[in-house]
Amino acid sequence: MSPTKNQPTLKIIPLGGLHEIGKNTCIFEYDDEIILLDAGLAFPTEEMHGVNIVLPDMTYLRENRHKIKGMIATHGHEDHIGGIPYHLKQFDIPIIYGPKLAMALLRDKLAEAGVSDRTTLQTVGPREMVRISPSFLVEFIRNTHSIADSFTVAIHTPLGVVIHTGDFKIDYTPIDGETFDLQRLAEHGEKGVLCLLSDSTNSEVPGMTPSERSVYPNLDRIIAQAPGRLMITTFASSVHRVNIILQLAQKHQRKVAVVGRSMLNVIAHARNLGYIKCPDDVFIPLKAARNLADEKVLILTTGSQGETLAAMTRISRGEHPHIRVRQGDTIVFSANPIPGNTIAVVNTIDRLMMQGANVIYGRHHGIHVSGHGSQEEQKLMLALTRPKFFVPVHGEHRMLVKHAQTAYSMGVPAENMVIINNGDIVEVSADSIGVTGEVSSGIELVDQAGVVHEHVMQDRQQLAQDGVVTVAAPISWDGQLLTPPQVHLRGVVTKVEPSLLRQLIIRAIENLLDDRWDEFTSTGRTTKVDWSLLQTEIEATLQRLVKRELRSHPLVVFLLQMPEQPPETEQPQPQPQPQTQTQTSTKTYRRRRSTASATL
């Protein structure tokens, strides 16, 4: 049931993180006040050629930048804070609150992007409350996740308390000893929670997610049994996992060479903040590792997801400047592929195996556990908070549906739940919840040069799938081809003879010039030609021709070469003989063109 128009409402507008994994971004809006919860990124799929990262469409925030009062960061994963430097180039955020580790990582990102002056970073601790605006008082509640220093938040609004779980699991034996503050959740549940937004990632998984500590004995056994050089790859941000690996390296007297910028960065900040505790002499420069016996070396590296530029991927391709796989190396993937990365990870493992490495991977080894709660933990969250309304978030569609079914089994009425899409406007009042509209949503693609617009991405996809046909032709001010067009095909597979295709292209251009030249010209003292429109029309004509003849969709690019100076029109009429000579020369060209061959 949707709120009535005369009721005050809280708007909840997710811009990312629904029907997908990644780019988690959510807006909370009351009257003329907006706060933002997380602003993450996602990684490109194989079809997004040349793209580095994927961001949510932030049009709504750009249009309402004057309403933004501040932001909450729940933890330091890239899919929750990675988009912030890019957004700050488009609009200011007065202040960002978050845990110490997330703020340390974010501070580096902002400095690198040159936007440190666009916001203020403020660290917060467990049970700390901050007043972001008159309508939003935010309380930070310690939770447990795969990264240290993670929060669930209770947002106090004029209508009641809204709890957003952030990413969570309920780990009763966390590596850092920081347990989930379940007591505080229960206290809110006792007083009354208006709405719960809860992590749905593992809503299809029965039972409970194992503790991070369960990985320790399995990694211990593998490291103890590795006969020679050992490489381990995991998520750089998995501070607890990295801590375990460093502890085991000390136990088995291996020196650790850290490879990968993000891994070095996270370890440095985690050590400074006390989340990783180990002596300096555990680490060794990569070049110095060559001087040690193989059984004394552990290389800790990025690339567990098969990322193109990550260290382990480059090692597998033989492209890393300092590391080559050797027969007898043991390589451990202490991470499972996230959705969309499976093929890249499998290909990396294959390449490593073909070079003689013993690669240890897969769930059956017990060397990775999820950072997200399974069904029983989701039930416990619902039981403790006892929300009036429920919105499953952070997951693909089937995950959201399954989480809603779990909530229904826990007593939340179906009419008090909504399954939503990115961009939906959810309005919550004291006694109702419903979707009342939508805002611009979608994605923004970013490469090294900046935002990749939709038409550019379409061109890249077309190039990759069907190749490109380029046609270059000089055209006179009176609409004649001056020389035969040059036709080039790249990456195009066709049974059509190149010479025939070239003749068809010439004929199509000539017909358009003969039949429609007047559409592109105007006369005065000098002839004026709309060359841009002419180029567009010729390109569209050639696109249709190529599609019909080749039965494929290559990108067609027409390069128009035009004379430098237009002729003056207020001149005496030319004598008949020169006119005849011009016509003769044109006819001579048209006779010659049938014997020319395409340039391929």
Side-chain angles (χ1 to χ4, degrees):
M1 182 176 63
S2 298
T4 59
K5 291 185 178 180
N6 58 352
Q7 290 180 307
T9 61
L10 170 71
K11 292 180 181 178
I12 302 172
I13 309 172
L15 298 180
L18 297 176
H19 301 261
E20 62 184 351
I21 300 295
K23 60 185 180 70
N24 301 283
T25 308
C26 190
I27 295 168
F28 292 86
E29 181 175 352
Y30 190 88
D31 287 339
D32 288 331
E33 302 169 24
I34 284 178
I35 64 169
L36 188 59
L37 187 142
D38 290 338
L41 55 77
F43 294 102
T45 62
E46 291 183 350
E47 296 79 19
M48 297 176 181
H49 306 286
V51 171
N52 294 337
I53 63 167
V54 181
L55 299 172
D57 182 349
M58 304 296 275
T59 300
Y60 184 78
L61 282 175
R62 287 194 293 268
E63 293 173 348
N64 292 275
R65 65 186 72 195
H66 60 285
K67 297 182 181 180
I68 300 173
K69 305 303 179 185
M71 178 179 171
I72 307 160
T74 59
H75 63 283
H77 275 153
E78 285 290 292
D79 61 335
H80 290 260
I81 65 169
I84 296 174
Y86 301 92
H87 304 324
L88 284 172
K89 295 178 180 180
Q90 304 174 61
F91 51 82
D92 290 345
I93 301 174
I95 189 166
I96 301 174
Y97 296 95
K100 290 184 291 184
L101 180 57
M103 293 297 98
L105 296 172
L106 183 56
R107 189 171 288 108
D108 287 351
K109 293 177 182 295
L110 301 188
E112 183 177 353
V115 292
S116 298
D117 59 339
R118 304 295 296 271
T119 190
T120 299
L121 303 183
Q122 180 65 52
T123 61
V124 292
R127 295 203 177 190
E128 189 170 340
M129 301 181 75
V130 294
R131 171 70 68 180
I132 298 181
S133 72
S135 299
F136 293 110
L137 176 67
V138 179
E139 178 184 0
F140 293 83
I141 301 170
R142 170 68 70 217
N143 71 16
T144 47
H145 185 40
S146 55
I147 188 172
D149 211 2
S150 180
F151 285 127
T152 291
V153 294
I155 304 171
H156 299 253
T157 76
L159 300 178
V161 173
V162 176
I163 291 181
H164 194 298
T165 66
D167 289 4
F168 82 97
K169 64 189 283 186
I170 298 178
D171 192 337
Y172 296 107
T173 57
I175 297 297
D176 59 3
E178 293 277 348
T179 56
F180 205 133
D181 192 353
L182 301 177
Q183 178 185 349
R184 188 61 184 147
L185 288 179
E187 291 171 357
H188 280 296
E190 185 69 26
K191 295 176 182 177
V193 171
L194 178 66
C195 185
L196 172 68
L197 293 86
S198 186
D199 177 8
S200 304
T201 306
N202 278 347
S203 61
E204 300 171 291
V205 182
M208 296 193 68
T209 301
S211 169
E212 181 69 28
R213 198 173 291 275
S214 67
V215 172
Y216 186 99
N218 299 315
L219 282 176
D220 188 12
R221 181 183 67 256
I222 290 169
I223 293 173
Q225 294 174 353
R229 192 171 59 166
L230 178 65
M231 301 185 207
I232 300 179
T233 180
T234 190
F235 294 104
S237 58
S238 294
V239 173
H240 301 317
R241 186 75 45 81
V242 171
N243 201 12
I244 289 173
I245 293 167
L246 294 174
Q247 290 175 9
L248 290 172
Q250 294 177 74
K251 177 180 177 180
H252 296 284
Q253 299 180 347
R254 286 182 182 260
K255 297 295 184 181
V256 179
V258 180
V259 181
R261 180 184 176 188
S262 59
M263 185 73 75
L264 287 163
N265 189 37
V266 171
I267 290 176
H269 284 300
R271 292 186 73 200
N272 288 338
L273 296 171
Y275 296 116
I276 290 179
K277 297 177 181 178
C278 61
D280 292 341
D281 61 6
V282 170
F283 300 99
I284 188 172
L286 182 58
K287 291 183 179 179
R290 301 173 185 172
N291 302 324
L292 296 178
D294 285 350
E295 62 272 14
K296 295 296 183 181
V297 175
L298 188 158
I299 298 174
L300 179 58
T301 177
T302 57
S304 66
Q305 298 302 301
E307 305 97 316
T308 303
L309 299 178
M312 185 57 75
T313 307
R314 296 172 65 199
I315 292 168
S316 74
R317 290 185 170 136
E319 298 173 355
H320 196 280
H322 305 298
I323 303 174
R324 292 288 184 272
V325 176
R326 299 198 291 262
Q327 190 78 27
D329 283 347
T330 299
I331 301 179
V332 180
F333 277 69
S334 185
N336 291 334
I338 62 176
N341 291 351
T342 302
I343 294 175
V345 173
V346 168
N347 289 341
T348 300
I349 291 172
D350 281 346
R351 289 191 294 266
L352 293 168
M353 284 183 167
M354 286 188 284
Q355 295 175 64
N358 173 31
V359 184
I360 299 174
Y361 65 97
R363 300 177 187 274
H364 60 287
H365 288 289
I367 52 177
H368 176 71
V369 294
S370 174
H372 301 271
S374 299
Q375 289 178 2
E376 294 306 313
E377 288 144 288
Q378 292 172 351
K379 289 178 182 178
L380 181 55
M381 177 64 68
L382 287 157
L384 290 172
T385 58
R386 294 186 283 176
K388 184 173 185 177
F389 303 114
F390 177 67
V391 183
V393 294
H394 197 308
E396 296 170 354
H397 182 72
R398 67 185 185 280
M399 302 171 185
L400 306 180
V401 171
K402 188 63 180 177
H403 202 174
Q405 293 171 353
T406 298
Y408 182 76
S409 73
M410 294 293 293
V412 180
E415 62 271 19
N416 284 12
M417 295 183 283
V418 288
I419 296 176
I420 54 176
N421 295 309
N422 292 330
D424 282 349
I425 301 174
V426 179
E427 291 199 51
V428 183
S429 70
D431 54 14
S432 62
I433 186 172
V435 177
T436 60
E438 61 182 9
V439 303
S440 296
S441 63
I443 58 176
E444 294 180 350
L445 307 177
V446 179
D447 65 9
Q448 293 181 346
V451 174
V452 181
H453 296 289
E454 184 177 0
H455 70 278
V456 175
M457 195 69 251
Q458 290 173 348
D459 286 350
R460 291 182 182 180
Q461 292 170 343
Q462 202 170 0
L463 281 167
Q465 293 170 3
D466 294 307
V468 61
V469 177
T470 59
V471 180
I475 297 175
S476 69
W477 288 93
D478 58 353
Q480 298 294 323
L481 281 171
L482 297 175
T483 61
Q486 296 293 311
V487 181
H488 298 265
L489 279 68
R490 294 290 184 268
V492 177
V493 179
T494 176
K495 295 181 180 179
V496 178
E497 287 294 328
S499 59
L500 174 58
L501 179 61
R502 186 169 181 274
Q503 295 304 316
L504 293 171
I505 288 173
I506 292 173
R507 189 179 307 157
I509 296 174
E510 288 180 338
N511 289 342
L512 187 144
L513 293 174
D514 290 343
D515 298 341
R516 300 178 57 191
W517 180 248
D518 290 345
E519 297 179 24
F520 311 110
T521 60
S522 60
T523 57
R525 178 172 177 80
T526 59
T527 300
K528 294 183 178 180
V529 180
D530 190 339
W531 297 108
S532 177
L533 178 60
L534 176 63
Q535 181 175 15
T536 300
E537 289 300 312
I538 293 177
E539 200 166 83
T541 299
L542 297 182
Q543 183 78 61
R544 292 190 293 269
L545 168 68
V546 168
K547 177 182 177 182
R548 182 181 69 245
E549 297 297 329
L550 303 189
R551 299 183 184 278
S552 62
H553 299 79
L555 182 68
V556 175
V557 179
F558 178 65
L559 305 175
L560 174 61
Q561 299 168 325
M562 51 190 177
E564 293 182 1
Q565 297 294 331
E568 292 192 3
T569 59
E570 296 182 2
Q571 298 293 332
Q573 291 295 324
Q575 297 301 314
Q577 183 60 33
Q579 178 68 24
T580 302
Q581 290 175 352
T582 303
Q583 292 173 349
T584 301
S585 66
T586 303
K587 289 179 181 178
T588 302
Y589 154 64
R590 288 180 176 173
R591 285 198 297 270
R592 287 200 309 268
R593 63 184 170 84
S594 62
T595 62
S597 61
T599 304
L600 298 179

